[in-house]
């Protein structure tokens, strides 16, 4: 296979998307969209997450050292796209009717409509030039009850929840269909602030 060299890019390397749930010092809930998220081994399974630049989510995590990471599904995509394209320093970012519940182990806001959520506690902040990596302990995993059904295969469960992936500035559904460029699906969100 003949290859061509490129400047740094992760095009054609799909990433799973998560909405990070945090609170500011006044208790205001924020959700932001993130894909630089993966796993580490540190005596047990942990999470590594990278945030670039200054943003509300980063400030909130610095203050509290805790956040939730909620899996983005096709059903959640318009909301997720909106959360990824709207600055959390806007006081009215959160849609007023958004269903949010509390973590079971950590004081973190969890998105009710997401089928899988991690409750994360930062163990180490690693500062970079204009960003930072956070190494996190997974304090709890919340999964929709249906995902525990032993009579349903992982393939069927994944098809049912339909996680979204992203690459080439485009969202892709679980079966590979293109679901729009970054900033497009949010147009379908009827009652965004
Ligand atoms: C598809 C997509 C993926 C994103 N992934 C990241 C990421 O991994 N890290 C990051 O720092 N920002 C990422 N962003 C940008 C943040 O979502 C954006 O800065 C947002 O405003 C963060 O929410 P906040 O302002 O409430 O903190 C992503 C945006 C989109 C559209």
């Amino acid at each position: 296979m003949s290859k061509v060299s490129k400047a740094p890019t992760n095009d054609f390397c799909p990433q799973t998307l998560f909405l990070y749930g945090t609170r500011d010092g006044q208790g205001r809930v924020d959700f932001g969209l993130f894909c630089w998220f993966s796993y580490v081994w540190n005596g047990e399974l942990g999470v590594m997450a990278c945030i670039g630049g200054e943003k509300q989510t980063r400030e909130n995590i610095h203050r509290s050292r805790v956040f939730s990471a909620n899996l983005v599904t096709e059903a959640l995509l318009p909301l997720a796209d909106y959360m990824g394209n709207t600055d959390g320093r806007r006081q009215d970012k959160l849609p007023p009717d958004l269903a949010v519940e509390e973590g079971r182990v950590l004081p973190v806001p969890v998105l009710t409509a997401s089928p899988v959520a991690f409750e994360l506690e930062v163990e180490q902040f690693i500062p970079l030039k204009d960003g930072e990596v956070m190494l996190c302990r997974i304090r709890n995993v919340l999964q929709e009850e249906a995902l525990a059904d032993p009579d349903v295969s992982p393939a069927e469960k994944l098809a049912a929840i339909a996680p979204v992936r992203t690459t080439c500035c485009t969202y892709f559904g679980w079966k590979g269909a293109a679901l729009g460029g970054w900033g497009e699906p949010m147009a379908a969100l009827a009652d965004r602030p």
Side-chain angles (χ1 to χ4, degrees), residues 17 30-36 50-52 55-58 81 83-89 93 166 171 182:
L17 285 164
D30 184 33
F31 283 93
L33 180 62
F34 295 86
C35 58
W36 299 333
C50 182
I51 296 191
K55 53 195 72 173
Q56 189 66 46
T57 299
R58 183 173 175 189
D81 185 48
M83 295 297 189
N85 287 285
T86 309
D87 193 323
R89 287 167 285 206
K93 174 171 178 178
T166 188
Y171 299 108
W182 293 353

Side-chain angles (χ1 to χ4, degrees), residues 152-165:
V152 181
S153 71
E156 290 170 313
K157 288 172 184 168
L158 280 163
I161 63 174
V164 172
R165 290 167 287 189

Side-chain angles (χ1 to χ4, degrees), residues 4-21:
V4 292
S5 298
K6 305 283 275 189
T9 175
N10 56 8
D11 278 357
F12 305 105
C13 301
Q15 302 162 93
T16 308
L17 285 164
F18 292 89
L19 283 161
Y20 293 174

